[in-house]
Amino acid sequence: IVNNLDTILSGYLTIKIEKKNDADEWYIYKTVFTDPIIREIPKNDLIKLDKIFNPFELKIYTSGKYKVVAEFLGKTAEWEFEVVN
């Protein structure tokens, strides 16, 4: 998350995994992380999401289409992937 502003951004970060069902709709598969307190991103700075996400060492063994969804201050970033067995 990049803060290009000259002010601090404050909010709650949520990272979850969603899975696509047979009806081609996304549903929450697992909530990986939810901020317990307000997170601050200093002005003209950033937070690397992999530093927060990777320590969970999440593994998915069930085949299907998934996406990682990060939400902060009403904005969303997504990364889709597929698990094949």
Side-chain angles (χ1 to χ4, degrees), residues 14-71:
T14 300
I15 301 174
K16 59 190 171 187
I17 305 291
E18 294 185 1
K19 185 176 183 187
K20 193 174 271 193
N21 63 20
D22 293 335
D24 211 32
E25 300 169 332
W26 293 103
Y27 68 93
I28 297 173
Y29 177 77
K30 178 175 183 65
T31 299
V32 178
F33 176 83
T34 301
D35 267 329
I37 58 172
I38 292 176
R39 177 176 300 275
E40 292 187 343
I41 304 175
K43 60 184 180 178
N44 299 307
D45 204 353
L46 60 88
I47 290 178
K48 294 188 173 194
L49 295 177
D50 61 330
K51 301 287 183 191
I52 298 168
F53 183 79
N54 289 350
F56 288 96
E57 297 182 5
L58 184 68
K59 293 176 177 53
I60 299 174
Y61 299 102
T62 306
S63 296
K65 293 184 179 182
Y66 297 85
K67 64 181 174 180
V68 178
V69 179
E71 298 173 345

